[in-house]
Amino acid sequence: MKGPIATGNTAEIYLNDAGYAVKVYKEGFPADEALKEAEKQRYIHSLGIPVPEVLELTTFNGRQALVMEYIEGNTLGDLAMKDRTLLEDYLAVSVEIQMMIHEKDAPGLEPMTDKLTRQLDDVSSLSSEEKMGLLKQVDQVSGTKLCHGDFHLFNLVETEDGIRILDWVDASSGDIRADVVRTYFLYVGFDQEIAEQYLALYCGKSGVDRDEVLQWQAVIAGARLSENVPGEDAERLRKIVRQGVNGRRDE
């Protein structure tokens, strides 16, 4: 295989000679990481969600790898950035897709409560009191709806057969409002205006109350800190946590 066609925080994506995508995980991940993602994606496919088909597990240069259907096309994010006049239209399409995802029950996935608890336990920059406050809020998470965990325009690919949804490694079964806040945070890190457009569209189309969505900000901000994303404004996330736990706004 030639050099990677894409690189993310967890893996590199290659295109093999047969025309399939090969996701090669970076070193340091548990030995069953590829297996877990394969099982998760197959389960989501069984729910009728348009995701890439998983073909096999393999290794590449000693690293675990996942061979999947290669989805050819442009992401809605790339299309929107090429013509910003179409941004709201693409956001509206994405919201319709996310609402379709949120209609699915997914009891076969890891509960969101378990995922958030694990992430919060891994954050070293929060005090024990802050973690306890966030974990109390995690206990209020309800529902078993399908939540993508990394939903945004750049994970939606426009193909000849419709839009396909990529990157389900963070998917869980839980509260859709927390999933919406997660998407909102991802957009805030990219463009505040897009974040506000997205949230207004989702709440307007779904009927979900904006305040009920934003009440999950502290928990999702705390969980986000566990990811140590390069370029992320960690202090902004910590301020959101302090506000959510202490009930005050930091200056």
Side-chain angles (χ1 to χ4, degrees):
M1 294 187 294
K2 296 180 180 179
I5 60 174
T7 301
N9 292 327
T10 61
E12 298 163 340
I13 308 295
Y14 296 83
L15 192 62
N16 68 14
D17 293 338
Y20 297 122
V22 183
K23 182 173 184 177
V24 181
Y25 291 79
K26 295 180 180 179
E27 295 180 354
F29 285 92
D32 61 348
E33 192 73 14
L35 174 61
K36 285 182 178 179
E37 183 169 356
E39 291 176 341
K40 180 180 290 188
Q41 194 143 316
R42 285 169 175 154
Y43 175 78
I44 292 165
H45 185 272
S46 76
L47 298 177
I49 303 296
V51 302
E53 182 181 359
V54 174
L55 300 171
E56 65 172 322
L57 297 170
T58 186
T59 58
F60 179 71
N61 289 342
R63 292 187 284 165
Q64 57 186 314
L66 189 59
V67 181
M68 296 180 288
E69 174 188 9
Y70 174 59
I71 306 301
E72 189 170 2
N74 294 306
T75 71
L76 297 193
D78 288 334
L79 293 171
M81 293 304 100
K82 287 179 181 177
D83 186 352
R84 291 288 290 248
T85 65
L86 297 176
L87 173 61
E88 187 166 355
D89 290 339
Y90 286 123
L91 281 173
V93 169
S94 76
V95 164
E96 295 286 352
I97 293 171
Q98 192 174 26
M99 288 169 57
M100 176 271 291
I101 292 171
H102 289 163
E103 290 174 353
K104 302 288 185 179
D105 281 306
L109 289 181
E110 177 185 23
M112 182 181 285
T113 50
D114 293 357
K115 182 173 184 287
L116 290 173
T117 297
R118 185 179 67 254
Q119 288 178 306
L120 292 171
D121 284 341
D122 287 342
V123 181
S124 60
S125 61
L126 297 178
S127 68
S128 58
E129 291 79 8
E130 287 168 338
K131 286 187 181 182
M132 286 180 60
L134 293 177
L135 290 172
K136 285 181 180 178
Q137 294 182 32
V138 169
D139 288 340
Q140 304 304 311
V141 170
S142 62
T144 58
K145 295 299 185 181
L146 177 58
C147 296
H148 185 283
D150 193 23
F151 189 87
H152 52 75
L153 290 173
F154 292 94
N155 274 335
L156 302 175
V157 179
E158 186 175 62
T159 74
E160 293 179 354
D161 300 321
I163 294 173
R164 307 289 287 276
I165 312 163
L166 309 182
D167 201 357
W168 290 86
V169 67
D170 290 314
S172 64
S173 172
D175 194 312
I176 65 171
R177 297 168 299 178
D179 197 41
V180 173
V181 164
R182 168 75 175 183
T183 298
Y184 174 73
F185 274 7
L186 294 173
Y187 282 139
V188 166
F190 180 70
D191 186 307
Q192 181 73 46
E193 183 179 347
I194 293 177
E196 297 303 334
Q197 279 185 285
Y198 157 75
L199 189 57
L201 282 167
Y202 188 96
C203 292
K205 287 179 176 291
S206 68
V208 173
D209 185 78
R210 176 187 172 92
D211 289 340
E212 289 185 4
V213 170
L214 293 178
Q215 73 179 356
W216 294 102
Q217 284 190 99
V219 167
I220 301 303
R224 180 74 171 165
L225 284 169
S226 72
E227 299 171 37
N228 298 312
V229 178
E232 181 76 75
D233 187 349
E235 183 54 34
R236 179 182 68 87
L237 296 177
R238 284 192 288 270
K239 285 183 177 180
I240 292 170
V241 168
R242 289 193 290 269
Q243 180 187 343
V245 172
N246 303 325
R248 63 182 173 83
R249 187 178 302 276
D250 288 273
E251 299 299 332

